Amino acid sequence: MKLTVATCQFPLEAKLEHNLGYVLRQMKAAKSRGAHVAHFSETALPGYAGVDIRSMEGYDWDRLQEAHLQVAELARDLKLWVVVGSAHRLSGRHKPHNSLYIIDDQGRLVERYDKMFLVGAHKGITNDLRHYSPGSHFCVFEIRGVRCGAQICHDFRYGELYREYKKRGVELMFHSFHNARMS
């Protein structure tokens, strides 16, 4: 079965509304060009903590949830799968996950991948561990008969993750990286 993927990029900012506007426009453009799925960068909706935004402390989680719903509604209306980078709030004092939301063409959240390997403090590089909690599960889903998996950024350095996905029958990986803003 043929699967057409649109890889979507735009200049991320600290403003959720800016990022959401790009996501919604690019979803429409992807569909108009025959895509079955629109694939976005790491933290495409909220921006990357430590880079685009100072931190996730005090973040407007209710507005981010509304943005997720807007993306899901448009996915349903367009009959388009969406793989979109976001953040997932955890309870208590736990830091959020750096996540990919997998939304099907009916607007349903079918899976969420949480970045497993977070980078530590390195000169000139954001400290993921300061802002996010690591994930612990693999993400496998099927689009039009194609078994898919997901990973985020630094996870690519760990071959054991790819080997595990291969064992699970994954044929196509959606691997999102941070889309740095233009200076």
Side-chain angles (χ1 to χ4, degrees):
M1 170 117 358
K2 183 177 178 182
L3 180 62
T4 303
V5 177
T7 298
C8 306
Q9 293 183 313
F10 58 89
L12 290 177
E13 289 189 4
K15 298 174 188 156
L16 173 62
E17 299 309 320
H18 168 269
N19 300 338
L20 176 61
Y22 269 102
V23 168
L24 298 176
R25 284 190 301 276
Q26 289 186 352
M27 286 171 63
K28 292 173 187 172
K31 184 62 179 186
S32 74
R33 294 180 178 145
H36 300 110
V37 59
H39 174 216
F40 291 91
S41 68
E42 174 182 21
T43 67
L45 285 172
Y48 202 151
V51 177
D52 302 311
I53 56 178
R54 185 168 180 82
S55 78
M56 298 305 289
E57 288 183 36
Y59 194 78
D60 187 350
W61 292 102
D62 291 337
R63 180 61 192 114
L64 182 59
Q65 180 60 31
E66 291 171 12
H68 291 156
L69 293 174
Q70 285 180 264
V71 170
E73 288 172 8
L74 185 57
R76 182 195 65 227
D77 293 346
L78 296 173
K79 299 200 180 342
L80 176 74
W81 281 75
V82 179
V83 178
V84 64
S86 193
H88 182 76
R89 186 179 194 182
L90 299 176
S91 63
R93 296 185 52 80
H94 298 284
K95 292 174 260 184
H97 288 307
N98 176 341
S99 304
L100 288 176
Y101 283 77
I102 315 303
I103 301 166
D104 73 9
D105 57 2
Q106 300 301 306
R108 297 175 297 216
L109 176 66
V110 295
E111 183 59 275
R112 189 189 80 233
Y113 176 75
D114 305 318
K115 186 176 183 179
M116 288 191 200
F117 289 95
L118 305 176
V119 295
H122 296 291
K123 193 173 189 174
I125 298 174
T126 185
N127 181 349
D128 282 352
L129 293 170
R130 177 180 292 158
H131 304 287
Y132 299 105
S133 295
S136 61
H137 78 279
F138 290 88
C139 170
V140 178
F141 52 99
E142 197 169 299
I143 304 175
R144 295 176 54 93
V146 178
R147 201 155 166 84
C148 304
Q151 290 187 146
I152 299 174
C153 196
H154 193 69
D155 291 337
F156 85 95
R157 297 188 65 156
Y158 302 91
E160 61 270 24
L161 297 179
Y162 286 104
R163 285 189 291 278
E164 183 59 32
Y165 276 114
K166 180 70 174 166
K167 287 179 192 174
R168 295 173 186 224
V170 168
E171 303 168 89
L172 174 66
M173 289 295 298
F174 288 94
H175 200 128
S176 294
F177 290 84
H178 178 249
N179 185 22
R181 66 179 180 252
M182 303 295 284
S183 297

